[in-house]
Amino acid sequence: MPKDWFEWHDLYNTEPKLQQRLEIVREYITYSLDASPAGRIRVVSVCAGDGRDLLGTLANHPRSQDVYARLVELNPNLVERGKATIESLGLAKQIEFINGDATISANYVGAVPADIVIVCGVFGNLADESELKRLLDNLSFVSKQGAFVIWTRGHSNGIPYSETVRKVLQASQFEEVKFKLTATGDMGVGINRYLGENLSAPKEQQLFVFSGIPNKAR
């Protein structure tokens, strides 16, 4: 089992459910880019890992030069790998990779409100539904009105946790655009659109508590 999140990302080489999840996430990022109006597209990625979802999409997307993004990730090895990918794509002037705590609102100042918000691999590492609602309340700080929010949630012990997320999102002014399960049936990926007002300042300094550990990631 992986000891840290850097090792966990190596599971993308062997785990079909993660490979399928990544494919759908990239599909939804592509959809968001295609649907964005002409001009600059602001993107924020929360707990970004090595950024392979966004960066893998931009490698072949015609609007890559329109994207200005901030990716926030605590693991320094993942950040270094992501920065190397950004350099190889020639996007270093447009995309910044912050080695910092994604739960802290200060790490998003200057990059929000965003047109596209990526919160993949996050919801399954929250303590409970109340913490999910707390994060969604605070997403109104990073999401502009009309922003696309792309998320994932795994299932475990026969419990379809993604269904809970879908209900809470729609009750929190995040209208569902699309939703898919992976072919393995145990990973849900959604894209929602934020219909509420953007907050000029966060409701609290800590946006959420990330309680997950790599060998128990959901």
Side-chain angles (χ1 to χ4, degrees):
M1 297 297 289
K3 294 181 297 183
D4 59 29
W5 289 106
F6 187 75
E7 282 192 6
W8 183 91
H9 277 70
D10 289 337
L11 295 176
Y12 277 102
N13 299 321
T14 57
E15 289 284 343
K17 64 182 180 181
L18 291 178
Q19 295 165 350
Q20 293 164 17
R21 183 180 84 168
L22 178 61
E23 182 179 354
I24 300 170
V25 170
R26 287 177 174 172
E27 174 190 332
Y28 287 174
I29 294 173
T30 296
Y31 175 91
S32 303
L33 294 171
D34 292 343
S36 295
R40 178 177 294 201
I41 304 171
R42 285 180 176 247
V43 181
V44 163
S45 184
V46 180
C47 298
D50 57 11
R52 68 180 64 200
D53 44 16
L54 176 63
L55 301 178
T57 306
L58 294 181
N60 299 296
H61 198 280
R63 296 201 64 187
S64 61
Q65 296 300 316
D66 293 335
V67 172
Y68 286 78
R70 180 176 296 175
L71 292 75
V72 186
E73 169 58 45
L74 191 60
N75 185 289
N77 295 320
L78 289 170
V79 173
E80 286 307 308
R81 188 155 69 186
K83 285 182 175 179
T85 303
I86 292 169
E87 289 286 347
S88 71
L89 295 174
L91 296 174
K93 293 183 179 180
Q94 299 165 233
I95 301 178
E96 57 179 336
F97 219 132
I98 302 295
N99 184 195
D101 188 344
T103 73
I104 303 301
S105 62
N107 283 321
Y108 302 97
V109 173
V112 296
D115 301 287
I116 301 172
V117 179
I118 303 169
V119 281
C120 294
V122 178
F123 293 161
N125 291 291
L126 304 179
D128 51 35
E129 189 173 313
S130 64
E131 190 65 19
L132 170 63
K133 290 179 179 178
R134 175 188 174 197
L135 170 55
L136 293 179
D137 283 344
N138 284 304
L139 280 184
S140 57
F141 163 62
V142 300
S143 309
K144 71 187 298 183
Q145 190 173 55
F148 292 104
V149 178
I150 301 163
W151 59 274
T152 63
R153 182 65 170 95
H155 297 179
S156 61
N157 300 318
I159 302 173
Y161 288 108
S162 62
E163 291 304 310
T164 298
V165 174
R166 295 173 76 185
K167 291 175 183 176
V168 174
L169 278 165
Q170 295 198 71
S172 304
Q173 301 188 81
F174 291 86
E175 179 183 60
E176 185 167 287
V177 178
K178 295 184 178 186
F179 174 82
K180 280 186 182 181
L181 280 176
T182 57
T184 57
D186 53 3
M187 285 278 182
V189 185
I191 176 171
N192 292 58
R193 198 149 202 184
Y194 179 55
L195 303 181
E197 295 290 335
N198 169 251
L199 294 180
S200 57
K203 291 185 176 181
E204 50 192 323
Q205 173 66 6
Q206 187 172 39
L207 304 180
F208 61 100
V209 174
F210 189 91
S211 60
I213 55 177
N215 63 5
K216 294 184 179 178
R218 294 173 287 165

